Amino acid sequence: EGTCVDIGGSVAIWGTLPADSVNGLLTEIREDDESFNSVSYRYVPPENFDQEFLNALADQTPPDLLLMSHEKMVEHRNRLQPISYENYPIRDFRSRYIDGAEVFALRDGIYAFPVMVDPLMMYWNRDNLSDKGFLTAPKTWEDLIGNYAPALTVRDFNRNIQISGVAMGEYSNIKNAFPIISMLLLQAGSALVLEEDREYRVLLDSTADQSSGAFAKSLEFYTGFSSVNNSLYSWNRSFNLDRDRFLSEDLSIYFGFGSEGKDLETKNPNLSFDIAEVPQNLGGNKRTYGNFYGFFVPKVAKNKTGAFVVMQALSSDTNAKKIADGYSMAPVSRSSVTAGSNDVYGRIIYQSVPNTRGWLNPDLD
């Protein structure tokens, strides 16, 4: 027998993630609850999202719910409905979700019901590493630059790079350049951007309590890999995209999101690779960057009551895990992360989750 919740009309969800996973879950829920027949999900590619959302607001045909990353939150903040801390105490939020999910908790309330996180991970070519005597991926940057990088970069007699050990240093041909630099800043203890009375203070070079030169140090490390005079030189702007080079086995270590693993496998079934947590600094903050996804309610949603009911249903621990599994990401509720994953990539991704953080970037372009 089915149970029905009253969602008072239709609820249109727009999301920056392909529809399969959410639609699969909606179909499952509809078997028990007919009111979900009026809930729809529409995929809007991330590069079109801002324009389509603004057009919908101008035409007064807004979606009722948004499923998107925290990276879109600052830009659209004044168009989103925060949930006040009286209705959702921060204590309850912290008890339920991993630390990084607090990126959604701003001064005036909670902006999204968190669902999942996609941490930046390290993919490594098992053949290339074992050829050089490495049986595991590097755990620290010291090890990576001291032992792995010099051995893994293969040059011809003219010093032209044939196989790159690590792809860093450029921006245009590194798929995840922004997340990689963010990861280095987080590990260096940078305070990044702090929110102060609806303003944002950019503190890339400072830690929370003092100036540290975190930004300068991180950037110097990052660019070293594309500097011809540096012993770590392994990347330059003439190469095609790092992800493509990894797929064609011309790059040994690739920094990509956890959700990319299954896709890499599909694109080159013969590629022997594995996933690991990103290297850390000895004695530094154990951190990686991640994209946190949640459900947001636009301020002008036509059916706010229904939106909140649907949002609660879809972000329940059980359903959030189903959505996360569908996108090869990790759920963000503490109980789900503690339960772990037996998926070939999921197990390692879940290990990264407690140390994953996002940040409030006022301008992603």
Side-chain angles (χ1 to χ4, degrees), residues 14-87:
W14 283 15
T16 57
L17 293 167
D20 300 359
S21 183
V22 177
N23 278 342
L25 177 59
L26 287 173
T27 303
E28 202 180 303
I29 295 172
R30 284 176 195 133
E31 287 172 11
D32 284 327
D33 188 340
E34 288 175 0
S35 63
F36 269 74
N37 288 336
S38 57
V39 180
S40 63
Y41 179 86
R42 177 177 164 227
Y43 167 54
V44 183
E47 60 275 16
N48 306 343
F49 177 82
D50 299 335
Q51 196 54 54
E52 292 216 20
F53 182 44
L54 294 178
N55 290 347
L57 296 181
D59 298 341
Q60 297 184 332
T61 54
D64 300 290
L65 263 185
L66 302 170
L67 172 60
M68 61 183 187
S69 146
H70 78 276
E71 289 189 342
K72 296 261 180 220
M73 178 173 67
V74 174
E75 183 185 352
H76 294 297
R77 181 174 178 179
N78 59 357
R79 302 174 191 107
L80 303 170
Q81 180 68 56
I83 299 154
S84 79
Y85 289 116
E86 284 165 20
N87 291 331

